[in-house]
Amino acid sequence: MRVSVLSCTRFLGSIYGLLQVVALLSLVLLLLKAVQFYLHRRWLLKAVQQFPSPPSHWLFGHKQQFQKDQELQQTLKWAEEFPCAHPRWLWGSRVTILVYDPDYMKVILGRPDPKPDISYRNIAPWLGYGLLLLNGQKWFQHRRLLTPAFHSDILKPYVGIMADSVRVMLDKWEKLIIQNSYLEIFEHISLMTLDTIMKCAFSHEGSIQVERKYHNYIQAVGDLSNLSFSRGRNLFYQNDVIYWLTPEGHWYQRACQLAHQHTDRVTKQRKARLQEEGELEKIRKKRHLDFLDMLLFAKMENGSSLSDKDLRAEVDTFMFAGHDTTASGFAWILYALATHPQHQQRCREEIQSLLGDETSITWDHLNKLPYTTMCIKEALRIYPPVPNIGKQLSKPITFPDGRSLPKGLQLKTPASNSKSNSNIKIFNSLFLSYLLSVSFHPPRGRNSTHY
């Protein structure tokens, strides 16, 4: 009995000693992290000392100064108060320099600085390292590989396909407004742009807009966008282990799975179709390949095909970027026209004068809509789908007024949303030309557009 009690006492003693060692190591690690945080914050404060900013909390940065849904208004207020650029502290050890002066932007955009890993890594599990997230030589390889897929000769035949997608959406709206004159248009436009890119770039047959199973993908994209944005502003979610254990982390993983199931299914179906007799012969007769076919037949400089990982990354990237940003931009164009009915009417008159008795819009028509195109570009300037781009300084930078920043800092500048001529002609002028056969009015206290 005494031996048993003695053994138990020794066991408890060893457990207690082990816990003491763990506690001591944890304390040392905590102190090291605190010292690291202090030194890094001190370096950041010194690095941005030439750029005044509003007072910030040592741990939470400027977070407490942003009320819900008021971030844009607060940012604009600070841009007026602090000329050219100012630091935005996301938390105590992370700062981004917001740049909004044209002369500053010329200096920044003229340099080959890479994208900041910390800003983009939150969407890497979703989009992978495709053209959006790549840097350096691999980015140039993929860019050179994919450029032919967006040649204007490829885009011209898609006009009819795009017009058909818009007609399907308008037919749905005609039925819906019988029930309610207010319509939330963004999801409908997202389905229409997804329908368009699936047919034009991914050789899809059928209509995305009438097949309910694709609504899950649209919802997943919306969830992933919101979750990625919120994670980037939460100090405690920067650690992957912690984030994946949270409800938001589980939600992100589920949404990722839904998005990947969709793109994997599209790729698998196309690969299976290419195995059918006669399909390869059709491909060989094409002067230009669709986007997905180009990826499947692509050869890198060393003669190898794209890996499955790279293939999925490019498909995920262009499936998202090809429909979501276009839908967002187009929804805001309609909002801008709804709030400026005089410009909406001028666009409508221009379109009706051009078409006359014709019912179909062609590629040649799109060159003859100067006022409509100006309204589109101005709406994209005011309401850009992608408001800014990030850069991480690979070497020190000096601005025209003599102020400078050291290597390693992150910058954000307004993104250029003037898109290419071909994209403006097709995605915007074409859609708008059909949609302006009806009138749009601003919402009355609701997040919808009166149609």
Side-chain angles (χ1 to χ4, degrees):
M1 188 69 177
R2 290 178 180 176
V3 174
S4 177
V5 171
L6 185 60
S7 299
C8 185
T9 302
R10 287 177 177 173
F11 176 74
L12 291 175
S14 62
I15 292 293
Y16 180 70
L18 181 61
L19 290 175
Q20 284 183 316
V21 172
V22 170
L24 182 61
L25 289 175
S26 299
L27 181 60
V28 171
L29 181 61
L30 187 62
L31 287 172
L32 288 174
K33 284 290 183 183
V35 171
Q36 184 184 36
F37 174 88
Y38 170 76
L39 293 175
H40 185 59
R41 178 170 169 78
R42 193 169 76 166
W43 179 82
L44 289 174
L45 288 169
K46 184 179 180 181
V48 303
Q49 63 183 349
Q50 297 180 28
F51 294 83
S53 72
S56 63
H57 189 273
W58 67 271
L59 181 60
F60 298 110
H62 288 129
K63 183 177 181 179
Q64 296 172 324
Q65 300 183 39
F66 286 90
Q67 299 178 5
K68 188 177 181 181
D69 298 329
Q70 294 297 310
E71 182 170 343
L72 178 59
Q73 289 78 356
Q74 185 65 62
T75 301
L76 290 173
K77 181 180 177 182
W78 286 352
E80 292 178 1
E81 186 177 350
F82 304 100
C84 303
H86 73 268
R88 162 82 186 274
W89 291 87
L90 295 178
W91 53 83
S93 60
R94 183 178 173 191
V95 64
T96 298
I97 309 298
L98 302 183
V99 178
Y100 33 83
D101 179 81
D103 293 328
Y104 273 44
M105 290 169 60
K106 285 180 184 177
V107 177
I108 296 167
L109 298 178
R111 294 162 41 113
D113 295 305
K115 306 177 184 82
D117 288 338
I118 193 169
S119 297
Y120 286 89
R121 74 180 185 89
N122 292 339
I123 60 175
W126 164 26
L127 297 179
Y129 284 90
L131 207 57
L132 178 63
L133 300 189
L134 285 174
N135 279 308
Q137 186 59 34
K138 193 169 183 181
W139 181 89
F140 281 106
Q141 289 177 353
H142 282 230
R143 182 73 175 86
R144 189 160 49 245
L145 190 72
L146 299 175
T147 295
F150 302 97
H151 192 279
S152 61
D153 288 343
I154 295 180
L155 301 180
K156 288 179 183 179
Y158 293 158
V159 170
I161 296 173
M162 295 176 181
D164 290 339
S165 294
V166 177
R167 289 192 192 100
V168 171
M169 183 178 71
L170 284 175
D171 289 342
K172 288 169 62 180
W173 287 5
E174 290 289 350
K175 297 174 183 177
L176 289 171
I177 60 169
I178 296 173
Q179 307 165 18
N180 190 344
S181 62
Y182 288 91
L183 184 65
E184 173 52 64
I185 64 173
F186 183 69
E187 183 175 350
H188 293 280
I189 294 177
S190 293
L191 282 170
M192 182 267 290
T193 54
L194 180 62
D195 189 26
T196 301
I197 195 168
M198 284 283 286
K199 290 175 180 176
C200 295
F202 296 95
S203 305
H204 180 75
E205 296 178 359
S207 178
I208 300 295
Q209 298 182 77
V210 297
E211 298 176 36
R212 292 289 304 176
K213 62 182 180 181
Y214 293 102
H215 289 237
N216 290 335
Y217 174 72
I218 297 292
Q219 182 63 51
V221 167
D223 291 343
L224 288 165
S225 298
N226 292 331
L227 289 167
S228 299
F229 182 81
S230 63
R231 184 186 180 186
R233 280 157 170 70
N234 190 316
L235 168 63
F236 304 104
Y237 283 176
Q238 300 313 300
N239 183 282
D240 287 341
V241 175
I242 294 175
Y243 183 67
W244 300 132
L245 293 174
T246 65
E248 289 83 355
H250 290 303
W251 188 3
Y252 186 98
Q253 288 176 318
R254 287 195 301 271
C256 255
Q257 188 177 22
L258 283 172
H260 290 159
Q261 284 173 354
H262 169 72
T263 51
D264 288 346
R265 182 169 58 248
V266 170
T267 305
K268 185 177 179 181
Q269 288 174 349
R270 187 56 184 163
K271 283 182 175 179
R273 185 70 186 274
L274 290 174
Q275 300 302 316
E276 296 177 9
E277 187 177 352
E279 189 65 20
L280 279 176
E281 191 60 34
K282 291 180 184 178
I283 296 295
R284 291 191 184 99
K285 289 180 180 179
K286 284 186 176 182
R287 184 180 176 187
H288 299 285
L289 296 180
D290 292 343
F291 175 76
L292 182 55
D293 289 341
M294 182 169 290
L295 287 177
L296 293 173
F297 288 100
K299 296 291 183 182
M300 303 298 283
E301 291 178 349
N302 60 6
S304 64
S305 301
L306 282 175
S307 67
D308 290 343
K309 185 178 179 180
D310 287 342
L311 177 64
R312 177 199 253 190
E314 296 299 355
V315 171
D316 281 326
T317 295
F318 279 87
M319 187 75 73
F320 161 66
H323 91 274
D324 187 75
T325 53
T326 305
S328 176
F330 195 70
W332 281 106
I333 290 170
L334 292 181
Y335 174 82
L337 288 173
T339 54
H340 296 83
Q342 71 278 19
H343 296 292
Q344 181 183 161
Q345 184 58 31
R346 281 193 62 177
C347 289
R348 183 177 293 106
E349 290 171 357
E350 181 181 61
I351 292 163
Q352 291 172 345
S353 174
L354 176 66
L355 290 181
D357 295 331
E358 297 180 54
T359 57
S360 296
I361 295 171
T362 66
W363 176 273
D364 293 334
H365 284 135
L366 303 181
N367 271 329
K368 303 171 183 176
L369 296 167
Y371 193 80
T372 301
T373 301
M374 284 192 291
C375 288
I376 289 168
K377 289 183 176 182
E378 179 65 2
L380 288 175
R381 185 189 69 82
I382 300 171
Y383 305 111
V386 181
N388 55 57
I389 55 174
K391 295 278 189 178
Q392 184 163 341
L393 296 179
S394 57
K395 58 183 180 180
I397 187 171
T398 300
F399 296 108
D401 60 3
R403 292 191 291 182
S404 61
L405 291 169
K407 172 184 175 181
L409 278 187
Q410 294 182 39
L411 309 177
K412 279 191 177 179
T413 68
S416 171
N417 286 282
S418 59
K419 297 201 174 192
S420 71
N421 249 356
S422 297
N423 283 343
I424 283 185
K425 286 179 187 175
I426 292 189
F427 290 114
N428 296 315
S429 298
L430 176 68
F431 295 157
L432 199 60
S433 298
Y434 276 98
L435 286 169
L436 285 182
S437 60
V438 295
S439 297
F440 289 86
H441 307 283
R444 300 171 185 169
R446 297 174 57 174
N447 293 324
S448 58
T449 298
H450 187 193
Y451 157 64

